[in-house]
Amino acid sequence: MTELDGTWSSESEWTVVDEEFGHPDGTGAEPPQPVLAVVGRPNVGKSTLVNRILGRREAVVQDKPGVTRDRVAYDALWNGRRFTVVDTGGWDPKADGLQASVTAQAELAMQTADAVLLVIDASVGATTTDEAAARVLRRSDKPVLLAANKVDDDRLLADVASLWSLGLGEPYPVSALHGRSSGDLLDAVLHALPATPRESFGAVDRGPRRVALVGKPNVGKSSLLNRLVGEERAVVDAVAGTTVDPVDSLVELDDEVWRFVDTAGLRKRVKTASGMEYYASLRTRAAIEAAEVAIVLLDASEPISEQDLRVLTMVVDAGRACVLALNKWDLVDEDRRHQLTRELERGLVRVPWAERINVSARTGRSVRKLAPALRTALESWDKRVPTGQLNSWLSDLIAATPPPVRGGKQPKVLFATQAQTRPPTLVLFTSGFLEAGYRRFLERRFREEFGFVGSPIRLSVRVREKRPRKS
């Protein structure tokens, strides 16, 4: 880095900036993949087997039935072939209430998949629920494989042979927990899956933009997803915490396809959560990291809570574009609106730049306004200000409002550049330290000049090191 006429050389400057910040890769369209649906009654080890197929711990697993409730898609790879695995909740045709919704999701997964893997607990044998599932699958026109799970040793192999009576062909004895014979099962899966999926969404040039639906439990995330999709895509119940895994859905809004991810509501900090809640928190954090923009849902009918602020902090710290959706607006009266205005002024000081939309997932109020807000936020997230324009504006601003004196000396801003997008990152090279208040002032004026609605801005200061005098 060299100093040139009181400023910094742009070529050497960009070299240093590139080395530290790099430049984001574009998102390319992914080819469609065949889909395998993993189904079975509750607590037979479906999610454990899904994790074994994936070779990583993705699906939430806990030693009790009913942990998985939605149908959740994951990308898998075996012997050079990619395919999608859909984990489902427990299938029970006699269920009612919440479990009936879970069963409906499993049945829909069976209908839309290219192949189905029915999982049975070999230590229990075929139950009446397993037999009912087999009868449904025998009428299907797609390949069906039968996995006899929990075969941890040879003592159960004789019992596995009795599963031929289900009429689904050869049962594959596996142990999802220990990995026994999982390779043989995967070879059979690849043989059953077609080369290309039967149904797929139309290709999008750059791939659908990724949107994370986040918020505290029972704020209406799954209801909003179902409203957007136009079907019961995610299981909804009045019980808080119904969603455990992130749920992916391709949604068409204003003639554009988006990939929405419904996430688990965050009750506690990740460090203090345990069991199922701990892994759900990790997956929610990962869903935010994988998204490009987040819709943060707040319950407009209730006071803004610490949980709401913690979710916002996760989104901002991840550097993702953001839209605030004040849900359940149909429950807000005039007094609550005045109170909410004061709460937003106090509680959302970190995200005054995020666009706010008053919506009702139940009635559909203003839901269509989300797509324009998402586009605005993503345009800001992708936006870059040319270096020349940035420095010209900054020199005029500093001339009018110079940095405060520190230690008897006034620091000078020698050069500035936007080193990165996604999120926009400004780097200022200075002769001294800039106070936090002055950095906030620069960010505020930068937004006023160039926009960036819906996107966080990161501002980094690099202080020039003093060169030793030549003797």
Side-chain angles (χ1 to χ4, degrees):
M1 197 157 39
T2 60
E3 192 173 1
L4 181 63
D5 297 330
T7 61
W8 295 85
S9 167
S10 59
E11 291 186 5
S12 59
E13 184 54 52
W14 272 112
T15 301
V16 173
V17 171
D18 284 345
E19 287 177 355
E20 179 170 357
F21 294 96
H23 286 282
D25 294 327
T27 54
E30 298 177 357
Q33 299 175 165
V35 178
L36 172 73
V38 180
V39 300
R41 62 182 177 82
N43 213 33
V44 294
K46 296 184 297 298
S47 294
T48 305
L49 184 57
V50 166
N51 286 336
R52 179 63 60 181
I53 292 172
L54 300 176
R56 61 189 186 274
R57 187 162 187 169
E58 286 277 1
V60 177
V61 175
Q62 194 168 1
D63 190 20
K64 67 177 184 179
V67 173
T68 303
R69 293 165 180 164
D70 299 292
R71 64 189 196 273
V72 188
Y74 304 102
D75 290 328
L77 174 67
W78 179 253
N79 280 349
R81 279 190 65 187
R82 296 188 178 277
F83 58 99
T84 299
V85 179
V86 178
D87 188 17
T88 65
W91 190 83
D92 184 356
K94 297 181 180 179
D96 54 15
L98 173 61
Q99 189 58 40
S101 298
V102 175
T103 296
Q105 292 294 315
E107 291 176 348
L108 187 56
M110 288 190 251
Q111 296 168 10
T112 57
D114 298 292
V116 178
L117 176 63
L118 175 63
V119 183
I120 289 177
D121 185 344
S123 64
V124 175
T127 65
T128 55
T129 301
D130 296 325
E131 292 170 353
R135 285 195 295 272
V136 172
L137 292 173
R138 283 199 302 268
R139 296 194 295 267
S140 173
D141 60 348
K142 59 193 62 176
V144 179
L145 298 98
L146 178 61
N149 192 26
K150 304 185 182 181
V151 182
D152 299 333
D153 53 51
D154 294 339
R155 289 176 294 180
L156 289 176
L157 288 177
D159 298 327
V160 172
S162 64
L163 298 178
W164 279 92
S165 62
L166 293 175
L168 297 176
E170 178 184 359
Y172 291 87
V174 297
S175 172
L177 186 63
H178 302 294
R180 175 181 177 136
S181 301
S182 58
D184 294 337
L185 176 62
L186 278 167
D187 289 340
V189 166
L190 292 188
H191 181 73
L193 285 173
T196 56
R198 301 182 183 187
E199 299 179 2
S200 63
F201 288 86
V204 182
D205 290 343
R206 57 170 298 156
R209 305 306 293 262
R210 297 183 297 277
V211 185
L213 283 173
V214 295
K216 66 182 181 182
N218 214 28
V219 76
K221 298 183 295 298
S222 297
S223 297
L224 180 59
L225 178 62
N226 288 339
R227 172 67 64 176
L228 292 169
V229 176
E231 63 172 90
E232 291 297 312
R233 176 63 185 87
V235 175
V236 177
D237 197 86
V239 178
T242 303
T243 302
V244 175
D245 295 286
V247 178
D248 282 39
S249 296
L250 290 175
V251 180
E252 185 172 346
L253 297 176
D254 292 349
D255 299 323
E256 181 178 355
V257 177
W258 306 76
R259 182 180 295 278
F260 276 76
V261 183
D262 180 20
T263 62
L266 297 181
R267 303 168 187 265
K268 304 175 182 177
R269 300 179 188 275
V270 174
K271 293 181 180 178
T272 58
S274 61
M276 178 177 68
E277 197 168 68
Y278 170 75
Y279 291 108
S281 298
L282 290 182
R283 280 153 184 77
T284 297
R285 185 180 294 274
I288 293 174
E289 294 285 350
E292 297 172 281
V293 58
I295 297 179
V296 179
L297 265 73
L298 305 175
D299 187 339
S301 65
E302 296 181 356
I304 295 176
S305 66
E306 181 186 352
Q307 294 166 294
D308 295 319
L309 300 180
R310 188 155 57 241
V311 172
L312 274 170
T313 298
M314 287 179 63
V315 173
V316 174
D317 290 347
R320 296 302 177 257
C322 178
V323 174
L324 296 178
L326 303 176
N327 193 26
K328 306 185 183 181
W329 197 257
D330 53 309
L331 304 179
V332 177
D333 56 22
E334 192 66 29
D335 291 338
R336 175 59 190 151
R337 291 181 187 179
H338 292 305
Q339 184 182 3
L340 180 61
T341 300
R342 293 193 296 270
E343 291 176 6
L344 294 174
E345 291 175 353
R346 292 194 304 267
L348 304 184
V349 291
R350 289 201 66 185
V351 288
W353 39 264
E355 188 171 349
R356 303 173 192 172
I357 302 177
N358 305 326
V359 302
S360 172
R362 187 176 68 85
T363 65
R365 181 193 194 278
S366 300
V367 168
R368 288 294 167 182
K369 292 182 180 179
L370 288 173
L374 290 172
R375 290 192 185 95
T376 299
L378 286 169
E379 287 173 4
S380 299
W381 201 57
D382 291 330
K383 188 175 181 179
R384 182 187 295 277
V385 178
T387 301
Q389 185 180 359
L390 174 61
N391 280 275
S392 176
W393 164 81
L394 188 60
S395 63
D396 292 340
L397 177 63
I398 293 175
T401 311
V405 175
R406 179 183 174 89
K409 293 184 179 180
Q410 188 174 67
K412 296 179 180 179
V413 179
L414 306 165
F415 183 83
T417 187
Q418 184 179 339
Q420 187 173 311
T421 60
R422 302 185 169 194
T425 303
L426 301 181
V427 182
L428 306 181
F429 292 86
T430 70
S431 63
F433 180 79
L434 293 182
E435 300 285 355
Y438 193 74
R439 293 199 299 270
R440 288 193 295 270
F441 163 75
L442 292 178
E443 179 186 338
R444 185 175 69 254
R445 296 298 297 272
F446 180 75
R447 286 186 182 278
E448 292 173 0
E449 178 70 20
F450 299 106
F452 292 93
V453 175
S455 174
I457 292 176
R458 291 177 175 170
L459 195 150
S460 177
V461 176
R462 296 289 182 266
V463 179
R464 179 186 61 180
E465 296 181 1
K466 293 184 178 179
R467 297 178 181 175
R469 294 183 179 178
K470 296 182 180 179
S471 54

